[in-house]
Amino acid sequence: MIEVIATLLRWAQLASNMILVGGCVFLAIAGSVHSPWVTRVERALPWLALILLTGLFGILATTTAQATGIDENAWHPAAWLSLMENTRMGHIWLARAACALVVFAIALYIRFSPPARWQYILCASVAALTLGVGSLASHAAAEDLSVVSLLPYALHIILGSVWFGALPAFLVVCFACKPQSELKQAQAGSAGTQPALQTQALQRIHAVFQSREEAFRHDAQALRRFSTLALPVMLAVIATGILITYRMVDTNYSGLVATKYGWLLNGKIALLMMVLIIASRARSSWLPLFYEDAGAKGADNGGRKLRKWVSLEFGLALGIVLLATIVANTVPAKHALIQDWPYSFRFSLAATWGEPVIMPRVYGGIALLVLAAAAVFYGRRKHWDKKLRFGLPVLLAVIGLGVGLPPLTVDAYPETYRKTPVPFDTISISNGAVHFAENCVACHGLQGKGDGVMAKSFAKPPVDLLTEPHTARHTAGDFFHWLSFGIPDTGMPSFGDKLDEEDRWDVVNFLHAMSRGYQARLMSPAVKPEQPQPNMGPPNFSYVAQDGSSGTLKDFRNQKNVLLVLFSWPQSRERLAQLEALHAKLQAGNTVLLAVPEHDLSAAALGQLKAGVHFPIVTEGAEEIVRSYALFRRTLSHPDLLGAGTLPDHMEFLVDRFGYLRARWIPELDGAGWSASDMLMQQIAQLNREEEILPPPGEHVH
């Protein structure tokens, strides 16, 4: 119940704040401060400010109760004070309340002083500041408290206020402008009275008529000015709204149709579309009738249309503000979890694009949509009748969507967008490799190429999980579903009863590591400047070293580069000696050196290493690290696709300080490479020059 009350209070204070901004802007641009409707709008300003203050106090009370988990605290000023003193939300509330008090004072001054444009501008500015301060409590501020992050949000709500908040004043003007035909009827009605009285009545009516007509034209001019301003304002509102949505959805487009945030957003868009249709008709038809044909029947018709439809537009706008209030307190789509995808399909360019059958159909659908848009403009220009003008574009659009969208769909399952509970690390990958070897090799082959001994027994051979982009084209949840329930008519059995849930996710992590490893064949000892690859987040690992140090690969993120060396003993003896000589320079270059033995070291070998090197040599966690990073061993010249594959005696990986695998050197395949210390230091210098380009790699596969 308290959530509902809190939502209504937020809605009331936001709507009143927006109307204060828009109403004052409308008064400032109207240019007709002596019209009767101006007084009506001015009288409303203090009441709106009171609603704003009341709503803010209500928000403080309900937030205190919600934050403390004690409903009674909603009525305890001491609890309010504690919230104001000790929380960021409390500080923001104080700033907003202070601004709202100033707005109330200005509104009272406007109410009891002669009209002046500067008063309206001042009131609109302080009311806009109240909204701007509120943006500090937005989703954007929670993620990044910077001007770049906050500015679009603040602009969106302030510009939205200029449009939405002015609608009540717009309606007051519309209702204040009486139809001129009524005056004409009064003028005609006086013709039946006595001549002397008739002359006096006609003079009075004529004077009134002239005065009302002049006022009508001034008021119509005010509406015209607002209409001129509203178009660019609405375009800016839409542009900033798209930018905010992009940030809140990120790449989780599925969240638009499967999360609360997405559905609320769709509701806002649907209401906005109706508002835009009404606004377009008002701007193009009813408003010109209203002010260009003053005193005639057309003006009365235009006025009636405006009063009716702008009232509806304001009602729809109130709905948009309510949805915006709820959206602001809902988990953004990019953070929302989709545990159960409700549809049997999903759209995926990655999984479908590039197929020769699909591309012509999609392009055909796009062409039909373009024709539909062209038919709208052409029909309007040629004055087609309504049925043809609306029917043909709708028919073309429906056919276009029917032709172009289905080819972009793939099968989906309840688990398709489920977040992996097991992190993408070497322990999980190593465990997944064991389960793959025990359960999958017979069909998919030792390296997942779909060439197992049983592969030829199937009518449709098992998919190539290594060299084909099968893994990249499907979600981790898809693979989890297939592992759990099998794939009908393909021979893929269900492992739901054989492997527990964590083991199945481990297999999914192994498949993704295998796919990323194959993509790493494009990697070389040279760093590609400013080009970290989104799919080259290396598996995280935990380690303990011979010198007592321990930690994880992730510990170095945003701090140091990591040179990860997988070595064999004694084959790598000379290289380790080179690295020992280079160790000080690597440290000076903000780079940590971690050496991982590919095979168990004997006590004697470990003793020799301890005596010869002073950088960490991993003694615990090495097996999982080697098993996982061996998947990244392939090069373009040595794809290593036969049998179980080989493990080079020595490999080195360079991970930048932002967590991305950027270069790799395999001496027996790449030649001299980093044995020339200058080349290695050049790569490190390049990494140190780079700023953060991509967000940190995810800890889970998707």
Side-chain angles (χ1 to χ4, degrees):
M1 185 61 184
I2 197 167
E3 286 81 7
V4 176
I5 295 172
T7 299
L8 293 176
L9 288 168
R10 290 191 182 96
W11 179 44
Q13 64 85 24
L14 178 61
S16 60
N17 200 340
M18 295 177 78
I19 294 173
L20 279 164
V21 174
C24 288
V25 169
F26 188 91
L27 286 169
I29 66 172
S32 178
V33 297
H34 299 295
S35 295
W37 64 265
V38 173
T39 304
R40 297 178 193 172
V41 176
E42 287 181 343
R43 285 175 182 167
L45 295 180
W47 292 106
L48 289 167
L50 272 179
I51 294 173
L52 170 59
L53 281 167
T54 306
L56 284 173
F57 276 103
I59 290 173
L60 177 64
T62 53
T63 303
T64 302
Q66 290 173 317
T68 59
I70 303 171
D71 291 349
E72 289 74 15
N73 280 343
W75 312 106
H76 290 173
W80 302 357
L81 188 61
S82 177
L83 187 79
M84 287 187 281
E85 288 179 343
N86 301 314
T87 67
R88 178 179 158 193
M89 182 273 162
H91 300 157
I92 295 170
W93 184 91
L94 278 172
R96 291 202 69 201
C99 292
L101 280 172
V102 176
V103 170
F104 181 62
I106 297 172
L108 284 176
Y109 181 80
I110 292 174
R111 172 69 181 84
F112 296 106
S113 61
R117 182 173 294 175
W118 69 267
Q119 300 169 356
Y120 308 141
I121 295 173
L122 178 62
C123 189
S125 301
V126 181
L129 180 62
T130 310
L131 287 172
V133 173
S135 67
L136 294 172
S138 64
H139 288 311
E143 296 183 351
D144 180 16
L145 196 60
S146 67
V147 174
V148 174
S149 177
L150 294 179
L151 188 60
Y153 185 89
L155 285 176
H156 182 70
I157 194 167
I158 291 172
L159 291 170
S161 302
V162 173
W163 159 71
F164 161 72
L167 290 179
F170 189 99
L171 282 171
V172 170
V173 176
C174 290
F175 281 102
C177 292
K178 296 292 184 183
Q180 303 303 301
S181 56
E182 292 180 5
L183 293 174
K184 290 186 175 181
Q185 288 170 2
Q187 189 177 21
S190 65
T193 59
Q194 296 179 6
L197 294 175
Q198 180 182 351
T199 302
Q200 293 175 1
L202 283 173
Q203 287 174 345
R204 286 197 300 271
I205 291 173
H206 182 72
V208 171
F209 184 84
Q210 292 293 333
S211 172
R212 296 295 297 273
E213 185 172 358
E214 184 179 352
F216 180 91
R217 292 193 180 280
H218 278 124
D219 295 344
Q221 186 64 23
L223 299 183
R224 189 175 189 179
R225 288 177 178 173
F226 172 73
S227 178
T228 303
L229 175 68
L231 179 59
V233 165
M234 181 54 77
L235 291 175
V237 169
I238 293 172
T240 51
I242 291 172
L243 181 58
I244 294 169
T245 301
Y246 172 74
R247 288 182 175 177
M248 293 299 105
V249 175
D250 200 7
T251 57
N252 188 21
Y253 303 115
S254 55
L256 290 173
V257 290
T259 65
K260 181 181 177 183
Y261 187 96
W263 286 118
L264 289 169
L265 197 62
N266 290 332
K268 276 183 66 181
I269 294 172
L271 292 180
L272 181 62
M273 293 298 293
M274 289 188 272
V275 162
L276 291 177
I277 292 171
I278 294 173
S280 173
R281 289 284 292 164
R283 179 184 172 86
S284 61
S285 301
W286 306 324
L287 200 52
L289 274 178
F290 189 67
Y291 60 69
E292 289 177 2
D293 203 13
K297 186 178 178 181
D300 296 342
N301 288 336
R304 280 195 292 271
K305 294 279 189 182
L306 283 176
R307 288 189 285 275
K308 175 183 175 182
W309 288 102
V310 176
S311 296
L312 177 60
E313 181 183 354
F314 180 62
L316 294 171
L318 281 173
I320 292 176
V321 174
L322 176 60
L323 291 178
T325 303
I326 303 173
V327 165
N329 293 278
T330 302
V331 177
K334 66 179 180 181
H335 297 312
L337 298 179
I338 304 175
Q339 286 297 327
D340 293 297
W341 178 248
Y343 313 105
S344 62
F345 68 92
R346 65 184 176 96
F347 294 101
S348 174
L349 280 176
T352 57
W353 197 250
E355 297 292 334
V357 179
I358 290 173
M359 294 172 67
R361 289 188 60 184
V362 175
Y363 284 130
I366 293 173
L368 287 170
L369 290 177
V370 172
L371 282 175
V376 171
F377 293 103
Y378 189 77
R380 188 170 182 174
R381 185 172 181 180
K382 295 296 182 182
H383 304 291
W384 289 352
D385 63 73
K386 279 189 178 179
K387 288 183 180 177
L388 184 61
R389 185 147 46 100
F390 292 103
L392 182 60
V394 169
L395 180 63
L396 287 171
V398 170
I399 295 175
L401 293 174
V403 170
L405 286 181
L408 296 176
T409 61
V410 295
D411 290 340
Y413 316 98
E415 303 85 355
T416 286
Y417 290 107
R418 189 171 295 177
K419 186 177 180 180
T420 314
V422 181
F424 184 64
D425 60 27
T426 56
I427 293 176
S428 173
I429 294 168
S430 183
N431 188 41
V434 171
H435 291 305
F436 184 86
E438 292 175 350
N439 300 287
C440 311
V441 164
C443 300
H444 288 282
L446 291 168
Q447 299 198 59
K449 275 185 59 47
D451 56 355
V453 294
M454 295 179 61
K456 294 183 178 177
S457 64
F458 300 106
K460 184 179 181 181
V463 296
D464 182 347
L465 297 168
L466 181 67
T467 63
E468 295 293 330
H470 189 70
T471 307
R473 288 180 172 181
H474 294 279
T475 67
D478 285 345
F479 282 95
F480 181 79
H481 177 87
W482 292 328
L483 283 166
S484 301
F485 303 103
I487 305 176
D489 304 324
T490 64
M492 171 73 183
S494 162
F495 291 95
D497 297 332
K498 191 172 183 180
L499 300 175
D500 64 27
E501 181 175 339
E502 187 171 328
D503 289 339
R504 280 173 272 156
W505 284 118
D506 286 340
V507 175
V508 173
N509 279 337
F510 169 71
L511 295 178
H512 273 264
M514 190 165 62
S515 177
R516 291 188 194 189
Y518 186 74
Q519 297 303 316
R521 73 192 188 283
L522 305 174
M523 199 167 282
S524 73
V527 169
K528 293 182 178 178
E530 312 283 347
Q531 295 182 46
Q533 298 301 308
N535 62 345
M536 279 300 139
N540 191 28
F541 58 79
S542 302
Y543 71 93
V544 175
Q546 98 290 357
D547 58 0
S549 62
S550 62
T552 69
L553 176 64
K554 191 181 168 186
D555 293 341
F556 301 106
R557 193 171 293 175
N558 294 317
Q559 298 182 46
K560 295 178 181 295
N561 308 307
V562 175
L563 179 61
L564 181 66
V565 178
L566 273 57
F567 70 94
S568 300
W569 187 261
Q571 295 89 330
S572 300
R573 184 195 301 269
E574 183 180 350
R575 176 57 181 165
L576 292 180
Q578 290 177 350
L579 290 172
E580 173 64 16
L582 197 61
H583 190 206
K585 290 182 69 175
L586 290 171
Q587 288 179 315
N590 195 38
T591 301
V592 169
L593 171 57
L594 289 176
V596 184
E598 291 185 354
H599 310 286
D600 290 339
L601 294 172
S602 65
L606 186 58
Q608 293 177 30
L609 282 169
K610 284 182 177 178
V613 302
H614 295 87
F615 48 78
I617 297 175
V618 175
T619 54
E620 293 183 24
E623 181 181 351
E624 291 81 7
I625 296 172
V626 172
R627 183 175 286 177
S628 300
Y629 279 80
L631 298 171
F632 293 75
R633 68 184 182 277
R634 297 180 176 85
T635 68
L636 286 174
S637 60
H638 186 70
D640 193 18
L641 300 176
L642 299 177
T646 58
L647 177 63
D649 288 336
H650 189 99
M651 294 191 290
E652 296 182 15
F653 300 90
L654 199 50
V655 181
D656 69 21
R657 67 185 187 282
F658 303 114
Y660 285 93
L661 184 59
R662 299 298 300 277
R664 178 207 54 208
W665 175 52
I666 303 177
E668 64 187 75
L669 303 177
D670 296 319
W674 294 347
S675 60
S677 60
D678 287 347
M679 180 181 180
L680 176 59
M681 295 310 298
Q682 286 172 5
Q683 311 315 311
I684 291 173
Q686 172 62 39
L687 296 183
N688 288 333
R689 284 194 295 271
E690 294 181 2
E691 299 294 334
E692 186 172 14
I693 298 171
L694 295 175
E699 298 179 29
H700 301 81
V701 296
H702 299 286

